[in-house]
Amino acid sequence: MVSTSLWMDTEILPEAAELKGDAHCDVAVVGSGIAGLSTAYELSKRGQSVIVIDRKGIARGMTARTSAHLAPLCDDLMTEFKKLRGAEIAKLFYESQAAAVDRIEEIQASEKIACDFMRLDGYLFQGNGMPADIIDQELEAVQEVGAPVHRLVGVPLKGCEERHVLRYPRQAKIHPLKYLAGIAAVCETNGVRFFANSPVEEVAERDGGVALRTSHGQITAGHAVIATNASIADRFQLHSKVAPYRTYVVAFAIARGELPDGLYWDTEDPYHYVRLQAGPDDHDFVLVGGEDHKSGEADDADQRFARLESWARELIPAVGSVTHRWSGQVLDTIDYAGFIGREPGSERIYLAMGDSGQGLTHGVMGAVLNSSLILGGDHPWRSVYAPDRKPLAAARNFLRENMTILQNLAEYVAPGEIASVEELKLGEGAILRRGLEKIAAYRDKAGELHLHSASCTHIGCHLHWNSFETCWDCPCHGSIFAPNGQPINAPAVSALRPVQR
Ligand SMILES: Cc1cc2nc3c(=O)[nH]c(=O)nc-3n(C[C@H](O)[C@H](O)[C@H](O)COP(=O)(O)OP(=O)(O)OC[C@H]3O[C@@H](n4cnc5c(N)ncnc54)[C@H](O)[C@@H]3O)c2cc1C
Ligand code: FES
């Protein structure tokens, strides 16, 4: 089964053209996921002229691969957040994330966007064999930030009747691409111009503004917001505080009414989660996700899907056949909050990156925050997400995540995974050594070979093949490359160097 999410068949502005020639606006937004489109929405509502530009079609990035819980509490637990950032910032973090859920609710209602938005309760339940004191500690941390919470025993999942649970009232869920389709339509009405299939290759402050260069044109703007998931503006500094994790989702058909609607997730690491999505006729979809690993550090998606499926069938015996399987990438920051606000050292470039698995609420909240900063105001949430913050208490996480780079660079001296391209079957990719060089080799389904340098064009880490998604993953900062060498996920902006056979 190929990787397809439940949302991907939603069309969003399919007619957006490529940028050719020059264009000018007040604010240029690079990236058309939830972060970019929400920014365009907020700014165009305030009378700014806005251009949104994307390397692919509109909203074809990680937002098309989400599972779309709208959960305002830190998914790495508020207990952990408070340890790293203190009680005051933890409270502001919760308030800002809750405000993002309120903002989505308000926008879909006022703009009449049919996007299946629904308020419902979230349930954090004790993982299998895990101590209950995690629940007690989390209860205390959540009460301290002022979020509504109730302690219970049992969730309606088989074998979990005695597990300790926290219930969070009024969390929410949404169909992410129906929401973005609605936002994009409002933006168009507000005069926002969209360019698709136009990779931005360079962003620079120039002549009291910002210039953004693509291979066929240039945008000049008063300000730019880089909403490319991982920033293409920052070369290294912020990327060293963010680690990419690949995460997996399986959707099953289920007869309506078999599972009480709610958002369920456990305290395991990585955690499992469950949500329902309305389906056609008399059945719904159950989404079950988890099995995360650091990007590029495993290529065993089938086993991970099998484990998710057996977990789901044990806890929810009513699930039917598997309808969709997909994976995506989340960017965990070392202190669990994104980097949103003015790019360090810059006057006019703003960022929205690092979602820690809560990228939808980060995207919407970040749009409010960046818009307010661009329009000259300050904002009470600025310090929570400031890209130039120094999270000293997170030094251990910083060292752990950056070990990946050292281990990765050591791979350049290791042997190749195959001795010759003749070993590659149709549709297979692997690393080949030729002298001192490491080559990313892929043989497509028609038998044609695609050979590129295995060195990521961001800052040179060694790529790994992802056979489920048919792409090259960079374990260091989240770049992803298609078999033809083109980057499909930032921070890389350049294609892999082709290598002769
Ligand atoms: C499986 C999964 C489950 C998740 N579950 C949840 C959840 O339940 N709740 C939650 O809040 N979050 C969740 N997340 C995280 C969330 O979905 C993402 O963090 C969020 O959608 C990212 O939005 P974005 O706008 O930052 O990035 P994207 O949607 O990736 O958009 C970035 C855009 O930038 C474009 N771009 C990149 N480089 C360039 C360039 N050089 N030039 C032009 N354009 C460029 C890309 O093409 C892309 O369209 C999940 C993620 C995954 C993968
Ligand atoms: S993403 Fe930074 S080196 Fe590859």
Side-chain angles (χ1 to χ4, degrees):
M1 189 182 280
V2 291
S3 177
T4 317
S5 80
L6 208 52
W7 335 109
M8 280 175 182
D9 57 1
T10 314
E11 287 223 317
I12 304 176
L13 300 180
E15 71 287 356
E18 188 186 340
L19 176 70
K20 290 195 174 132
D22 292 348
H24 182 75
C25 59
D26 294 331
V27 185
V29 177
V30 190
S32 65
I34 187 126
L37 290 183
S38 301
T39 306
Y41 175 85
E42 298 293 348
L43 287 166
S44 64
K45 277 278 179 192
R46 288 164 183 75
Q48 297 284 293
S49 69
V50 178
I51 289 177
V52 174
I53 183 163
D54 201 294
R55 70 158 58 256
K56 300 188 268 203
I58 303 302
R60 296 292 139 202
M62 288 305 157
T63 310
R65 293 171 173 269
T66 190
S67 55
H69 299 209
L70 300 176
L73 290 157
C74 175
D75 74 340
D76 289 291
L77 301 180
M78 288 312 297
T79 322
E80 297 303 315
F81 190 99
K82 203 182 88 183
K83 273 187 211 157
L84 295 183
R85 301 292 303 275
E88 200 178 317
I89 294 282
K91 190 166 189 321
L92 278 172
F93 174 84
Y94 159 66
E95 287 169 0
S96 65
Q97 297 283 322
V101 185
D102 294 345
R103 185 74 183 129
I104 295 172
E105 181 174 34
E106 186 183 316
I107 290 172
Q108 58 87 37
S110 65
E111 306 289 1
K112 301 190 174 33
I113 301 172
C115 58
D116 309 334
F117 177 90
M118 185 195 274
R119 288 278 184 182
L120 75 178
D121 291 351
Y123 298 87
L124 169 68
F125 64 99
Q126 182 188 7
N128 193 10
M130 300 198 67
D133 56 4
I134 301 180
I135 295 288
D136 291 318
Q137 287 160 11
E138 188 60 5
L139 175 66
E140 203 178 303
V142 169
Q143 282 172 331
E144 209 176 320
V145 297
V149 56
H150 304 277
R151 199 183 188 305
L152 325 168
V153 174
V155 281
L157 302 173
K158 191 173 163 211
C160 303
E161 299 79 3
E162 304 298 323
R163 304 263 182 102
H164 293 264
V165 178
L166 295 182
R167 178 171 74 85
Y168 303 122
R170 283 178 53 74
Q171 295 201 332
K173 64 178 182 176
I174 197 170
H175 186 305
L177 293 199
K178 284 186 187 170
Y179 178 71
L180 288 195
I183 293 282
V186 178
C187 285
E188 253 199 331
T189 308
N190 293 346
V192 174
R193 285 167 285 164
F194 287 89
F195 295 104
N197 305 312
S198 309
V200 172
E201 293 166 358
E202 189 187 42
V203 182
E205 288 192 322
R206 198 171 295 153
D207 305 328
V210 185
L212 302 96
R213 187 175 54 75
T214 71
S215 55
H216 296 116
Q218 173 170 275
I219 300 172
T220 49
H223 294 90
V225 178
I226 309 303
T228 48
N229 194 226
S231 170
I232 58 164
D234 179 88
R235 193 77 190 138
F236 182 67
Q237 197 192 352
L238 288 178
H239 293 291
S240 67
K241 296 176 190 157
V242 175
Y245 283 80
R246 194 157 276 279
T247 175
Y248 299 80
V249 187
V250 185
F252 303 83
I254 190 167
R256 188 154 302 142
E258 286 287 346
L259 178 69
D261 209 352
L263 306 172
Y264 306 93
W265 67 103
D266 65 21
T267 58
E268 294 177 30
D269 184 15
Y271 61 80
H272 302 92
Y273 59 80
V274 177
R275 67 158 282 194
L276 281 169
Q277 174 65 23
D281 308 324
D282 57 351
H283 81 272
D284 291 331
F285 298 102
V286 188
L287 274 61
V288 176
E291 285 290 336
D292 307 12
H293 61 82
K294 264 193 130 172
S295 292
E297 288 192 352
D299 185 25
D300 54 359
D302 280 341
Q303 290 160 44
R304 288 172 194 269
F305 286 125
R307 285 198 290 271
L308 280 179
E309 186 172 342
S310 78
W311 185 90
R313 291 198 186 283
E314 195 177 322
L315 272 65
I316 317 167
V319 295
S321 56
V322 171
T323 59
H324 301 72
R325 300 191 317 176
W326 72 91
S327 77
Q329 192 170 264
V330 292
L331 297 174
D332 272 5
T333 68
I334 56 171
D335 65 359
Y336 313 128
F339 293 105
I340 298 163
R342 205 163 61 189
E343 156 94 7
S346 152
E347 289 295 316
R348 293 174 172 274
I349 300 173
Y350 290 75
L351 302 177
M353 83 173 250
D355 50 65
S356 295
Q358 286 173 273
L360 300 183
T361 42
H362 269 80
V364 173
M365 179 280 308
V368 172
L369 174 54
N370 275 335
S371 302
S372 148
L373 298 177
I374 287 171
L375 295 176
D378 200 353
H379 203 288
W381 306 333
R382 188 178 54 78
S383 56
V384 182
Y385 300 98
D388 60 358
R389 68 183 184 270
K390 307 265 179 306
L392 291 179
R396 212 171 49 164
N397 288 351
F398 177 82
L399 289 174
R400 192 190 60 222
E401 299 299 8
N402 281 282
M403 281 304 289
T404 302
I405 302 185
L406 297 179
Q407 286 160 356
N408 178 280
L409 293 175
E411 288 178 41
Y412 278 106
V413 294
E417 294 163 344
I418 49 171
S420 135
V421 290
E422 310 313 325
E423 291 176 41
L424 282 178
K425 299 196 184 81
L426 297 185
E428 272 185 7
I431 298 292
L432 174 74
R433 170 177 281 290
R434 192 190 282 162
L436 289 179
E437 188 170 36
K438 287 300 221 30
I439 297 170
Y442 170 67
R443 189 185 296 280
D444 67 24
K445 295 266 169 65
E448 194 186 332
L449 268 179
H450 302 261
L451 302 181
H452 295 92
S453 160
S455 175
C456 173
T457 57
H458 176 226
I459 55 164
C461 282
H462 186 298
L463 300 176
H464 291 189
W465 179 242
N466 180 333
S467 51
F468 177 65
E469 298 288 351
T470 321
C471 62
W472 297 99
D473 284 342
C474 181
C476 289
H477 315 110
S479 293
I480 303 176
F481 297 86
N484 67 3
Q486 288 300 322
I488 48 178
N489 207 73
V493 289
S494 320
L496 298 175
R497 181 172 53 77
V499 171
Q500 293 305 314
R501 183 149 186 200

